């Protein structure tokens, strides 16, 4: 990848796995090459329907807990990336990952989508 004066809008999908962490690192490095770029970290929560009677915790509480953990993880990653001169914005959405990534990329008119190889 060669250096370019043009800034990029980069969307990177994350699920907290080691592969997605490597994807975030690669995306941050790519964004750093292009001054003024923005990295959008996305975690999509696609939780299957859960019968309320089968859980001691209500499904809404499970989803809220998952969103909270994802938000905290992505906010910490964004803060670390910002220290390297790249603006990073965390996003957590309730939707299937593929659809959430495509939707966010379209909304932002992303130049690049980065994903890990698993997950």
């Amino acid at each position: 990848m060669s250096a370019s004066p043009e800034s990029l809008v980069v969307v990177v999908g994350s699920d907290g796995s080691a592969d997605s962490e490597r994807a975030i690192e690669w995306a941050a490095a790519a964004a750093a090459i292009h001054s003024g770029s923005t990295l959008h970290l996305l975690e999509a929560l696609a939780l299957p329907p859960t019968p309320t009677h089968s859980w001691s915790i209500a499904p809404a509480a499970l989803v809220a807990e998952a969103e909270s953990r994802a938000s905290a993880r992505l906010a910490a990653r964004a803060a670390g990336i910002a220290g390297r001169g790249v603006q990073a914005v965390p996003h957590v959405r309730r939707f299937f990952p593929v659809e959430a990534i495509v939707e966010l990329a379209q909304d932002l008119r992303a130049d690049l989508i980065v994903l890990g190889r698993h997950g």
Side-chain angles (χ1 to χ4, degrees):
M1 186 178 291
S2 62
S4 168
E6 294 182 30
S7 64
L8 297 174
V9 174
V10 181
V11 171
V12 60
S14 175
D15 62 4
S17 69
D19 279 330
S20 70
E21 288 300 312
R22 284 189 287 278
I24 290 171
E25 284 302 314
W26 189 92
I33 293 171
H34 301 272
S35 179
S37 294
T38 304
L39 182 61
H40 294 270
L41 309 174
L42 171 65
E43 185 157 339
L45 302 174
L47 301 176
T50 312
T52 305
H53 68 278
S54 68
W55 295 93
S56 60
I57 302 172
L62 292 172
V63 171
E65 174 67 23
E67 285 180 327
S68 177
R69 282 193 313 269
S71 292
R73 182 174 47 254
L74 293 180
R77 292 296 283 137
I81 291 166
R84 295 186 280 181
V86 175
Q87 180 184 5
V89 180
H91 301 267
V92 176
R93 293 194 175 182
R94 290 185 187 180
F95 207 46
F96 293 108
V98 171
E99 287 87 352
I101 291 165
V102 170
E103 181 182 271
L104 182 62
Q106 288 175 336
D107 290 349
L108 299 171
R109 301 178 57 108
D111 299 298
L112 181 65
I113 297 171
V114 180
L115 303 170
R117 61 185 181 161
H118 291 104

